[in-house]
Amino acid sequence: MCSKRTRWLCCCVMELKGILPDETISKLVTKARRVKKHFRKIEKQKNVEKERISSCMNCHDIKCPMSSDLIDKNLFKFQKKLRNGEPFIVPDVLKQGTGLSWEPMVTLRALCANSSSSVNSDVKSNVKAFDCLASCEVEINTRQFFKGYKEGRRYVNLWPEMLKLKDWPPSDEFENLLPRHCDEFIHCLPFQEYSDPRSGILNLATKLPPHVIKPDLGPKTYIAYGTREELGRGDSVTKLHCDIADAVNILTHITEVKLTEDQLCAIKKIKSAHKAQDIKEGRAQDNRGPFVPSITKEISETAGALWDIFKREDTAKLEAYLQKHCKEFRHTFFSPVEKVIHPIHDQCFYLTFDHKKKLEKEFGVVPLTFEQKLGEAVFILAGCPHQVRNLKSCTKIAADFVSPENVDICMLLTEEFRRLPKNHRAREDKLELKNMIIYAADQVVEELEAFIG
């Protein structure tokens, strides 16, 4: 005789439902093939005509309708970078805006003026910041945090306290809470065909219809302390990671906090103690020779952050290096990194100057290293491992986008993230990529069919 549990299980039926109507994909493929065939025929006719004109006239004697004055050369250059997976830097983008201030206290006042009373109360009192030395979250008075941004904070032993706010204000409604700053950011974005999170015509993320849940692609604000000296422990860094989508990052505000002579002396002594501890525990990068400074030249007055971006094709070698040397790194509360699930997606490594030199020596891998200056927009493409260290206190605004050129890389990363353990932090990234592709293709085919008539 069946138990109650068995009878209950027998009565339960799991019903699988599709989001799209039946045959949607097959019909879309058929229409796409028809449109492609039509435009192939037109392209062949154009090529024949082009050859006829070239044989009859000297190309220098005519002005082609598609001459360079009608083509945005910078956009073509950017698209080439997209296809090759190369980062792209655009200077002085803030000059395109209205001059709205990005000073943190200004944004805080704007937030208080635009937010509800409950949010207003929260941001006026405390924020949850990340302590880079302990690698843990701490609660601090909001105004004290911003005071430290301008003047610096220190521990009892004079070691610099490095705090950062990730995705501030604490909400995915940046557009509603800071509408003027959101408009200013979007207005300053270069290559808005791709980067505009609202209406970029080549941003697949904008193709999702209103009824589909959209991924949170920004804009997001990142406010963090920084110092030019590479501390080795507790640096204000974004650790090595790989984004699931393309991204653009604009440095909107910087403040230099100079360390006192007493602090510099204390830092030197504490670094020596750290080195001795690593040697004692067998975790030193190199037991021979003096400490090598991270920066051997003067930092530009307008530089705020030091970037290292690796090529996609170097990812396997980079992972091999991290697996080999993982025990030389420290993590939460200075504990060594003992276990590695995925060297890049774990986001627990930052390669110091010494590690980068060793990586080059052992694997021949050299990142693109550069200083991001105030007002510069940095484009980081999907699949490119990268890390950032703040040289000064910085405010950065970032947004993700999905370019047609890199949609295949996004798909590979999506599958890679899905294979990670269930509780892994990278599994939280959801892009709704397949929906984007379907809706984008449907829109393109529909518009081309209308164009054909």
Side-chain angles (χ1 to χ4, degrees):
M1 187 171 178
C2 295
S3 66
K4 288 184 178 180
R5 175 175 172 79
T6 304
R7 289 198 300 272
W8 180 83
L9 289 173
C10 292
C11 295
C12 292
V13 177
M14 180 181 288
E15 186 178 359
L16 299 178
K17 292 185 177 181
I19 299 175
L20 300 170
D22 293 342
E23 300 182 358
T24 297
I25 304 299
S26 59
K27 289 178 180 178
L28 178 58
V29 170
T30 300
K31 290 194 291 183
R33 285 174 176 166
R34 185 166 59 246
V35 169
K36 182 179 179 181
K37 185 177 180 181
H38 174 86
F39 280 95
R40 269 187 175 175
K41 187 182 296 184
I42 293 176
E43 189 63 30
K44 287 180 181 179
Q45 291 172 353
K46 280 187 177 180
N47 290 336
V48 171
E49 184 67 13
K50 191 184 294 183
E51 290 174 7
R52 186 186 67 80
I53 292 174
S54 298
S55 63
C56 297
M57 303 181 69
N58 187 319
C59 64
H60 296 291
D61 296 333
I62 61 172
K63 188 174 183 181
C64 173
M66 289 300 289
S67 59
S68 59
D69 62 326
L70 297 179
I71 298 174
D72 187 339
K73 289 184 177 179
N74 286 331
L75 180 60
F76 283 175
K77 185 178 179 181
F78 176 65
Q79 290 174 324
K80 184 178 179 181
K81 294 281 187 180
L82 281 174
R83 289 192 293 272
N84 295 336
E86 300 172 8
F88 199 84
I89 305 166
V90 183
D92 299 325
V93 300
L94 295 181
K95 291 181 179 179
Q96 305 299 319
T98 64
L100 184 66
S101 174
W102 289 96
E103 203 275 328
M105 288 304 295
V106 173
T107 59
L108 176 61
R109 286 193 293 269
L111 177 65
C112 292
N114 293 321
S115 59
S116 64
S117 58
S118 59
V119 176
N120 200 343
S121 175
D122 290 340
V123 297
K124 274 185 174 180
S125 55
N126 297 315
V127 291
K128 290 183 178 179
F130 186 78
D131 185 324
C132 298
L133 184 60
S135 294
C136 67
E137 196 173 66
V138 295
E139 194 167 292
I140 181 174
N141 176 271
T142 303
R143 295 189 181 277
Q144 287 298 318
F145 172 86
F146 286 122
K147 183 181 179 182
Y149 176 93
K150 292 185 67 175
E151 302 174 7
R153 290 174 63 87
R154 62 185 72 174
Y155 297 102
V156 176
N157 62 359
L158 300 186
W159 189 265
E161 186 175 351
M162 293 293 150
L163 301 178
K164 61 181 179 179
L165 290 180
K166 182 180 179 181
D167 189 12
W168 186 88
S171 168
D172 58 0
E173 298 185 16
F174 180 86
E175 183 175 1
N176 295 330
L177 296 175
L178 292 170
R180 289 185 62 205
H181 285 83
C182 184
D183 289 342
E184 182 85 350
F185 170 74
I186 292 175
H187 189 70
C188 292
L189 282 173
F191 309 114
Q192 294 186 10
E193 298 90 339
Y194 288 90
S195 58
D196 190 334
R198 296 169 174 169
S199 56
I201 59 173
L202 294 175
N203 181 2
L204 299 190
T206 67
K207 308 305 178 185
L208 291 173
H211 68 273
V212 175
I213 297 176
K214 295 176 176 59
D216 182 15
L217 300 180
K220 296 181 180 180
T221 310
Y222 301 86
I223 304 176
Y225 303 178
T227 181
R228 67 170 60 196
E229 177 77 11
E230 185 176 83
L231 301 173
R233 294 189 193 178
D235 291 283
S236 180
V237 300
T238 299
K239 294 187 178 182
L240 187 71
H241 68 290
C242 188
D243 291 324
I244 198 171
D246 306 304
V248 57
N249 181 299
I250 299 179
L251 181 57
T252 58
H253 185 271
I254 58 173
T255 295
E256 182 171 12
V257 179
K258 293 186 177 180
L259 303 178
T260 65
E261 289 298 323
D262 288 344
Q263 276 189 288
L264 291 172
C265 184
I267 288 171
K268 187 176 180 179
K269 290 180 180 178
I270 297 171
K271 274 186 175 180
S272 296
H274 288 167
K275 189 79 170 179
Q277 181 188 7
D278 289 341
I279 292 172
K280 183 179 179 180
E281 296 178 3
R283 301 182 186 279
Q285 296 177 37
D286 190 347
N287 294 346
R288 297 166 297 171
F291 173 79
V292 181
S294 61
I295 298 176
T296 56
K297 62 184 180 65
E298 286 297 314
I299 297 171
S300 165
E301 185 178 338
T302 58
L306 183 71
W307 287 71
D308 296 298
I309 302 181
F310 294 85
K311 297 177 182 177
R312 288 171 182 158
E313 53 266 34
D314 287 336
T315 300
K317 291 180 180 178
L318 181 58
E319 290 178 2
Y321 176 85
L322 293 172
Q323 289 280 12
K324 179 180 178 182
H325 296 281
C326 67
K327 293 188 178 181
E328 296 172 12
F329 295 83
R330 292 184 182 271
H331 198 30
T332 308
F333 294 108
F334 323 119
S335 61
V337 177
E338 299 286 2
K339 183 180 180 182
V340 178
I341 297 172
H342 192 287
I344 295 175
H345 301 329
D346 287 0
Q347 297 186 30
C348 61
F349 298 109
Y350 178 86
L351 281 81
T352 61
F353 177 88
D354 288 337
H355 271 296
K356 285 185 284 185
K357 296 300 290 183
K358 189 186 289 187
L359 174 64
E360 179 182 4
K361 182 179 178 180
E362 294 184 9
F363 289 86
V365 172
V366 180
L368 173 65
T369 301
F370 61 93
E371 295 172 357
Q372 184 185 18
K373 297 177 176 60
L374 180 65
E376 281 187 342
V378 177
F379 284 87
I380 317 100
L381 306 184
C384 295
H386 59 282
Q387 61 179 25
V388 191
R389 182 170 74 84
N390 278 9
L391 305 173
K392 299 172 185 174
S393 291
C394 293
T395 300
K396 304 174 194 146
I397 316 296
D400 297 338
F401 62 96
V402 181
S403 64
E405 288 85 350
N406 286 322
V407 70
D408 56 333
I409 303 297
C410 296
M411 183 67 78
L412 289 173
L413 283 170
T414 300
E415 294 302 319
E416 197 170 292
F417 284 12
R418 187 175 289 127
R419 289 194 294 270
L420 294 170
K422 287 184 178 180
N423 60 346
H424 197 281
R425 60 185 299 173
R427 280 182 65 102
E428 296 175 4
D429 290 337
K430 299 290 188 296
L431 199 56
E432 299 294 335
L433 187 60
K434 292 181 180 179
N435 281 340
M436 287 183 194
I437 295 171
I438 292 170
Y439 284 110
D442 185 61
Q443 182 178 326
V444 169
V445 169
E446 185 177 329
E447 290 175 357
L448 289 176
E449 283 186 327
F451 178 78
I452 294 170

